[in-house]
PDB file of all heavy atoms in Angstrom:
ATOM      1  N   MET A 710       1.013  23.373   8.186  1.00  0.00           N
ATOM      2  CA  MET A 710       1.327  24.166   7.054  1.00  0.00           C
ATOM      3  C   MET A 710       0.565  23.733   5.786  1.00  0.00           C
ATOM      4  O   MET A 710       0.363  24.520   4.891  1.00  0.00           O
ATOM      5  CB  MET A 710       2.850  24.270   6.802  1.00  0.00           C
ATOM      6  CG  MET A 710       3.535  25.028   7.926  1.00  0.00           C
ATOM      7  SD  MET A 710       5.313  25.027   7.697  1.00  0.00           S
ATOM      8  CE  MET A 710       5.525  25.966   6.211  1.00  0.00           C
ATOM      9  N   TYR A 714      -0.548  26.675   2.922  1.00  0.00           N
ATOM     10  CA  TYR A 714       0.796  27.035   2.442  1.00  0.00           C
ATOM     11  C   TYR A 714       0.606  28.010   1.231  1.00  0.00           C
ATOM     12  O   TYR A 714       1.313  29.060   1.074  1.00  0.00           O
ATOM     13  CB  TYR A 714       1.549  25.876   2.028  1.00  0.00           C
ATOM     14  CG  TYR A 714       2.980  26.133   1.579  1.00  0.00           C
ATOM     15  CD1 TYR A 714       3.946  26.498   2.467  1.00  0.00           C
ATOM     16  CD2 TYR A 714       3.331  26.085   0.221  1.00  0.00           C
ATOM     17  CE1 TYR A 714       5.212  26.745   2.059  1.00  0.00           C
ATOM     18  CE2 TYR A 714       4.627  26.331  -0.195  1.00  0.00           C
ATOM     19  CZ  TYR A 714       5.611  26.697   0.782  1.00  0.00           C
ATOM     20  OH  TYR A 714       6.881  26.974   0.349  1.00  0.00           O
ATOM     21  N   PHE A 725       3.241  22.114  -1.485  1.00  0.00           N
ATOM     22  CA  PHE A 725       3.790  21.713  -0.204  1.00  0.00           C
ATOM     23  C   PHE A 725       3.426  20.188   0.070  1.00  0.00           C
ATOM     24  O   PHE A 725       2.350  19.759  -0.164  1.00  0.00           O
ATOM     25  CB  PHE A 725       3.086  22.544   0.922  1.00  0.00           C
ATOM     26  CG  PHE A 725       3.572  22.207   2.300  1.00  0.00           C
ATOM     27  CD1 PHE A 725       4.593  22.938   2.892  1.00  0.00           C
ATOM     28  CD2 PHE A 725       3.012  21.187   3.036  1.00  0.00           C
ATOM     29  CE1 PHE A 725       5.088  22.632   4.131  1.00  0.00           C
ATOM     30  CE2 PHE A 725       3.436  20.927   4.347  1.00  0.00           C
ATOM     31  CZ  PHE A 725       4.470  21.609   4.875  1.00  0.00           C
ATOM     32  N   ASP A 726       4.444  19.440   0.563  1.00  0.00           N
ATOM     33  CA  ASP A 726       4.228  18.109   1.057  1.00  0.00           C
ATOM     34  C   ASP A 726       4.862  17.951   2.427  1.00  0.00           C
ATOM     35  O   ASP A 726       5.950  18.520   2.635  1.00  0.00           O
ATOM     36  CB  ASP A 726       4.887  17.064   0.138  1.00  0.00           C
ATOM     37  CG  ASP A 726       4.343  16.987  -1.257  1.00  0.00           C
ATOM     38  OD1 ASP A 726       3.128  17.356  -1.396  1.00  0.00           O
ATOM     39  OD2 ASP A 726       5.037  16.593  -2.206  1.00  0.00           O
ATOM     40  N   TRP A 727       4.233  17.163   3.273  1.00  0.00           N
ATOM     41  CA  TRP A 727       4.976  16.653   4.448  1.00  0.00           C
ATOM     42  C   TRP A 727       5.672  15.370   4.026  1.00  0.00           C
ATOM     43  O   TRP A 727       4.985  14.382   3.705  1.00  0.00           O
ATOM     44  CB  TRP A 727       3.986  16.373   5.624  1.00  0.00           C
ATOM     45  CG  TRP A 727       3.459  17.532   6.298  1.00  0.00           C
ATOM     46  CD1 TRP A 727       2.185  17.923   6.358  1.00  0.00           C
ATOM     47  CD2 TRP A 727       4.224  18.473   7.121  1.00  0.00           C
ATOM     48  NE1 TRP A 727       2.062  19.056   7.206  1.00  0.00           N
ATOM     49  CE2 TRP A 727       3.279  19.369   7.606  1.00  0.00           C
ATOM     50  CE3 TRP A 727       5.607  18.564   7.438  1.00  0.00           C
ATOM     51  CZ2 TRP A 727       3.711  20.500   8.488  1.00  0.00           C
ATOM     52  CZ3 TRP A 727       6.018  19.578   8.229  1.00  0.00           C
ATOM     53  CH2 TRP A 727       5.066  20.522   8.759  1.00  0.00           C
ATOM     54  N   ILE A 728       6.999  15.344   3.967  1.00  0.00           N
ATOM     55  CA  ILE A 728       7.713  14.099   3.741  1.00  0.00           C
ATOM     56  C   ILE A 728       7.640  13.249   5.058  1.00  0.00           C
ATOM     57  O   ILE A 728       7.400  12.037   4.991  1.00  0.00           O
ATOM     58  CB  ILE A 728       9.135  14.436   3.386  1.00  0.00           C
ATOM     59  CG1 ILE A 728       9.125  15.239   2.103  1.00  0.00           C
ATOM     60  CG2 ILE A 728       9.917  13.106   3.169  1.00  0.00           C
ATOM     61  CD1 ILE A 728      10.485  15.765   1.666  1.00  0.00           C
ATOM     62  N   VAL A 729       7.924  13.874   6.110  1.00  0.00           N
ATOM     63  CA  VAL A 729       7.785  13.211   7.511  1.00  0.00           C
ATOM     64  C   VAL A 729       6.782  14.070   8.206  1.00  0.00           C
ATOM     65  O   VAL A 729       7.178  15.146   8.765  1.00  0.00           O
ATOM     66  CB  VAL A 729       9.081  13.021   8.254  1.00  0.00           C
ATOM     67  CG1 VAL A 729       8.861  12.348   9.543  1.00  0.00           C
ATOM     68  CG2 VAL A 729      10.050  12.259   7.332  1.00  0.00           C
ATOM     69  N   SER A 739      10.317  16.309  11.920  1.00  0.00           N
ATOM     70  CA  SER A 739       9.338  16.393  10.802  1.00  0.00           C
ATOM     71  C   SER A 739      10.045  17.167   9.649  1.00  0.00           C
ATOM     72  O   SER A 739      10.866  17.964   9.815  1.00  0.00           O
ATOM     73  CB  SER A 739       8.074  17.143  11.294  1.00  0.00           C
ATOM     74  OG  SER A 739       8.426  18.423  11.806  1.00  0.00           O
ATOM     75  N   VAL A 740       9.642  16.720   8.430  1.00  0.00           N
ATOM     76  CA  VAL A 740      10.332  17.207   7.236  1.00  0.00           C
ATOM     77  C   VAL A 740       9.247  17.673   6.212  1.00  0.00           C
ATOM     78  O   VAL A 740       8.236  16.931   5.934  1.00  0.00           O
ATOM     79  CB  VAL A 740      11.161  16.117   6.569  1.00  0.00           C
ATOM     80  CG1 VAL A 740      11.839  16.692   5.366  1.00  0.00           C
ATOM     81  CG2 VAL A 740      12.112  15.565   7.613  1.00  0.00           C
ATOM     82  N   GLU A 741       9.400  18.880   5.660  1.00  0.00           N
ATOM     83  CA  GLU A 741       8.558  19.357   4.587  1.00  0.00           C
ATOM     84  C   GLU A 741       9.262  19.441   3.318  1.00  0.00           C
ATOM     85  O   GLU A 741      10.477  19.653   3.279  1.00  0.00           O
ATOM     86  CB  GLU A 741       8.010  20.742   4.981  1.00  0.00           C
ATOM     87  CG  GLU A 741       9.056  21.815   4.967  1.00  0.00           C
ATOM     88  CD  GLU A 741       8.466  23.210   5.242  1.00  0.00           C
ATOM     89  OE1 GLU A 741       8.288  23.602   6.416  1.00  0.00           O
ATOM     90  OE2 GLU A 741       8.261  23.947   4.232  1.00  0.00           O
ATOM     91  N   ALA A 742       8.547  19.374   2.239  1.00  0.00           N
ATOM     92  CA  ALA A 742       9.032  19.743   0.882  1.00  0.00           C
ATOM     93  C   ALA A 742       8.233  20.951   0.425  1.00  0.00           C
ATOM     94  O   ALA A 742       7.036  20.920   0.272  1.00  0.00           O
ATOM     95  CB  ALA A 742       8.823  18.620  -0.079  1.00  0.00           C
ATOM     96  N   SER A 743       8.870  22.112   0.413  1.00  0.00           N
ATOM     97  CA  SER A 743       8.218  23.329   0.057  1.00  0.00           C
ATOM     98  C   SER A 743       8.661  23.792  -1.337  1.00  0.00           C
ATOM     99  O   SER A 743       9.887  24.008  -1.518  1.00  0.00           O
ATOM    100  CB  SER A 743       8.419  24.404   1.070  1.00  0.00           C
ATOM    101  OG  SER A 743       9.800  24.707   1.282  1.00  0.00           O
ATOM    102  N   GLU A 745       8.979  26.708  -3.390  1.00  0.00           N
ATOM    103  CA  GLU A 745       8.984  28.088  -3.386  1.00  0.00           C
ATOM    104  C   GLU A 745       9.578  28.788  -4.556  1.00  0.00           C
ATOM    105  O   GLU A 745       8.869  29.494  -5.301  1.00  0.00           O
ATOM    106  CB  GLU A 745       9.743  28.646  -2.093  1.00  0.00           C
ATOM    107  CG  GLU A 745       9.113  28.141  -0.807  1.00  0.00           C
ATOM    108  CD  GLU A 745       9.650  28.881   0.401  1.00  0.00           C
ATOM    109  OE1 GLU A 745      10.603  29.717   0.263  1.00  0.00           O
ATOM    110  OE2 GLU A 745       9.205  28.675   1.568  1.00  0.00           O
ATOM    111  N   LEU A 752      12.478  22.727  -1.719  1.00  0.00           N
ATOM    112  CA  LEU A 752      13.425  22.802  -0.642  1.00  0.00           C
ATOM    113  C   LEU A 752      12.945  21.714   0.356  1.00  0.00           C
ATOM    114  O   LEU A 752      11.780  21.685   0.746  1.00  0.00           O
ATOM    115  CB  LEU A 752      13.430  24.154   0.075  1.00  0.00           C
ATOM    116  CG  LEU A 752      14.053  25.329  -0.724  1.00  0.00           C
ATOM    117  CD1 LEU A 752      13.788  26.632   0.031  1.00  0.00           C
ATOM    118  CD2 LEU A 752      15.549  25.157  -0.815  1.00  0.00           C
ATOM    119  N   THR A 753      13.855  20.903   0.786  1.00  0.00           N
ATOM    120  CA  THR A 753      13.549  19.897   1.828  1.00  0.00           C
ATOM    121  C   THR A 753      14.090  20.439   3.166  1.00  0.00           C
ATOM    122  O   THR A 753      15.208  20.686   3.389  1.00  0.00           O
ATOM    123  CB  THR A 753      14.265  18.548   1.527  1.00  0.00           C
ATOM    124  OG1 THR A 753      13.772  18.103   0.286  1.00  0.00           O
ATOM    125  CG2 THR A 753      13.928  17.579   2.562  1.00  0.00           C
ATOM    126  N   ILE A 754      13.075  20.720   4.047  1.00  0.00           N
ATOM    127  CA  ILE A 754      13.371  21.481   5.242  1.00  0.00           C
ATOM    128  C   ILE A 754      12.997  20.531   6.445  1.00  0.00           C
ATOM    129  O   ILE A 754      11.892  20.076   6.578  1.00  0.00           O
ATOM    130  CB  ILE A 754      12.537  22.764   5.308  1.00  0.00           C
ATOM    131  CG1 ILE A 754      12.835  23.663   4.139  1.00  0.00           C
ATOM    132  CG2 ILE A 754      12.746  23.482   6.650  1.00  0.00           C
ATOM    133  CD1 ILE A 754      12.008  24.883   3.989  1.00  0.00           C
ATOM    134  N   THR A 755      14.043  20.385   7.339  1.00  0.00           N
ATOM    135  CA  THR A 755      13.854  19.480   8.446  1.00  0.00           C
ATOM    136  C   THR A 755      13.930  20.256   9.774  1.00  0.00           C
ATOM    137  O   THR A 755      14.804  21.085  10.025  1.00  0.00           O
ATOM    138  CB  THR A 755      15.048  18.474   8.430  1.00  0.00           C
ATOM    139  OG1 THR A 755      15.060  17.686   7.198  1.00  0.00           O
ATOM    140  CG2 THR A 755      14.866  17.448   9.609  1.00  0.00           C
ATOM    141  N   ARG A 756      12.901  20.007  10.625  1.00  0.00           N
ATOM    142  CA  ARG A 756      12.850  20.666  11.931  1.00  0.00           C
ATOM    143  C   ARG A 756      13.885  20.055  12.834  1.00  0.00           C
ATOM    144  O   ARG A 756      14.094  18.916  12.990  1.00  0.00           O
ATOM    145  CB  ARG A 756      11.474  20.441  12.576  1.00  0.00           C
ATOM    146  CG  ARG A 756      10.464  21.437  12.140  1.00  0.00           C
ATOM    147  CD  ARG A 756       9.918  21.047  10.802  1.00  0.00           C
ATOM    148  NE  ARG A 756       8.717  21.821  10.520  1.00  0.00           N
ATOM    149  CZ  ARG A 756       8.468  22.283   9.284  1.00  0.00           C
ATOM    150  NH1 ARG A 756       9.291  22.081   8.260  1.00  0.00           N
ATOM    151  NH2 ARG A 756       7.359  23.012   8.999  1.00  0.00           N
ATOM    152  N   TRP A 772      11.197  28.211  16.393  1.00  0.00           N
ATOM    153  CA  TRP A 772      11.174  27.162  15.385  1.00  0.00           C
ATOM    154  C   TRP A 772      12.424  27.232  14.670  1.00  0.00           C
ATOM    155  O   TRP A 772      12.902  28.222  14.282  1.00  0.00           O
ATOM    156  CB  TRP A 772       9.984  27.392  14.503  1.00  0.00           C
ATOM    157  CG  TRP A 772       9.823  26.538  13.322  1.00  0.00           C
ATOM    158  CD1 TRP A 772       9.052  25.387  13.192  1.00  0.00           C
ATOM    159  CD2 TRP A 772      10.412  26.658  11.955  1.00  0.00           C
ATOM    160  NE1 TRP A 772       9.091  24.895  11.917  1.00  0.00           N
ATOM    161  CE2 TRP A 772       9.966  25.646  11.141  1.00  0.00           C
ATOM    162  CE3 TRP A 772      11.343  27.618  11.476  1.00  0.00           C
ATOM    163  CZ2 TRP A 772      10.336  25.458   9.832  1.00  0.00           C
ATOM    164  CZ3 TRP A 772      11.682  27.473  10.081  1.00  0.00           C
ATOM    165  CH2 TRP A 772      11.207  26.437   9.324  1.00  0.00           C
TER     166      TRP A 772
END
Side-chain angles (χ1 to χ4, degrees):
M710 293 176 66
Y714 186 73
F725 181 93
D726 294 334
W727 285 116
I728 300 172
V729 182
S739 58
V740 182
E741 69 176 83
S743 59
E745 295 193 357
L752 288 172
T753 300
I754 301 175
T755 302
R756 275 78 169 142
W772 173 97

